Amino acid sequence: LEAKEEFSHKTLAMDVMRPRHNDPSLTVLTQDSMTVGDIEAAINETTYSGFPIVVSRESQRLVGFVLRRDLIISIESARKKQDGIVSASRIYFSEYTPPQPPTSPASLKLRTIMDLSPFTITDQTPMEIVVDIFRKLGLRQCLVTHNGRLLGIITKKDVLKHIAQMANQDPDSILFN
Ligand code: ADP
């Protein structure tokens, strides 16, 4: 065992975040390339409480975070009350909406329901610190990045499960309380 490995048993954010290695990838929304139908599908195919919003799937640059319930309410209300909102309508979380060809359906601007500065940590952050941050800031979730690219998410429940697991495995490792 290398000396380095002896020190590296510390759990890091990357060990606790979702998705895990073999899981399907993180469900993200893009800021300006999805339709009402695309986003309704993402809502219906998952049960997550929220979705990170990225510039594009290629870049995985984080733009913000939107709660599932806010998305549902806004889309339902727009479909009822806003003229021309249909499944093919483009949804914009971006500040600017590019000019649309006259034939395309009305677009829906949802920037106002997005959290523009969701809490973010890097994948190398020790879990001790993550637990502390969740406690002190009362976070519900936290996004995990590597070199500025979005990698995963840790929810409050993920943190609680991690704490419970640590307590089972090694009572001495409970640094909390
Ligand atoms: P909770 O952790 O309270 O059950 P969620 O239902 O939002 O909250 O998340 C369930 C699990 O899925 C958690 O382990 C979380 O890390 C993960 N998760 C949350 N949001 C997403 C997402 N958009 N894409 C992939 N996994 C997610």
Side-chain angles (χ1 to χ4, degrees):
L1 197 69
E2 277 179 44
K4 197 169 130 232
E5 280 177 54
E6 273 180 60
F7 288 109
S8 67
H9 65 269
K10 247 190 185 173
T11 313
L12 303 177
M14 61 179 295
D15 305 317
V16 173
M17 70 170 203
R18 303 305 160 106
R20 292 286 165 81
H21 316 290
N22 297 320
D23 288 354
S25 56
L26 195 66
T27 303
V28 299
L29 308 178
T30 58
Q31 65 171 357
D32 58 9
S33 64
M34 292 176 83
T35 64
V36 165
D38 294 335
I39 290 186
E40 284 172 337
I43 292 168
N44 293 330
E45 286 159 15
T46 66
T47 58
Y48 306 130
S49 312
F51 305 93
I53 296 165
V54 294
V55 172
S56 65
R57 287 181 201 282
E58 301 71 52
S59 76
Q60 290 291 317
R61 299 273 156 198
L62 186 65
V63 174
F65 190 81
V66 66
L67 290 177
R68 174 192 197 80
R69 59 158 190 273
D70 292 341
L71 262 184
I72 293 174
I73 293 169
S74 300
I75 293 175
E76 266 179 20
S77 139
R79 273 198 184 268
K80 275 188 209 140
K81 296 178 196 152
Q82 234 170 293
D83 261 355
I85 299 297
V86 292
S87 297
S89 294
R90 194 72 77 94
I91 290 190
Y92 288 101
F93 295 100
S94 48
E95 202 165 353
Y96 302 105
T97 51
Q100 302 278 314
T103 50
S104 59
S107 55
L108 177 55
K109 291 182 194 171
L110 292 184
R111 190 173 179 82
T112 53
I113 63 166
M114 175 171 75
D115 176 356
L116 292 165
S117 41
F119 204 89
T120 305
I121 54 171
T122 74
D123 58 341
Q124 299 301 313
T125 310
M127 275 311 289
E128 288 170 52
I129 294 176
V130 177
V131 170
D132 215 36
I133 294 171
F134 265 81
R135 287 235 166 100
K136 291 195 171 131
L137 301 183
L139 298 182
R140 306 303 308 266
Q141 71 279 310
C142 169
L143 298 171
V144 183
T145 60
H146 182 83
N147 287 340
R149 285 169 71 88
L150 179 64
L151 269 196
I153 185 168
I154 299 177
T155 66
K156 184 177 169 182
K157 217 182 263 179
D158 294 329
V159 171
L160 293 174
K161 277 188 214 153
H162 165 72
I163 294 173
Q165 220 170 35
M166 297 293 282
N168 283 338
Q169 280 172 6
D170 176 10
D172 291 335
S173 72
I174 310 174
L175 308 165
F176 329 104
N177 277 324

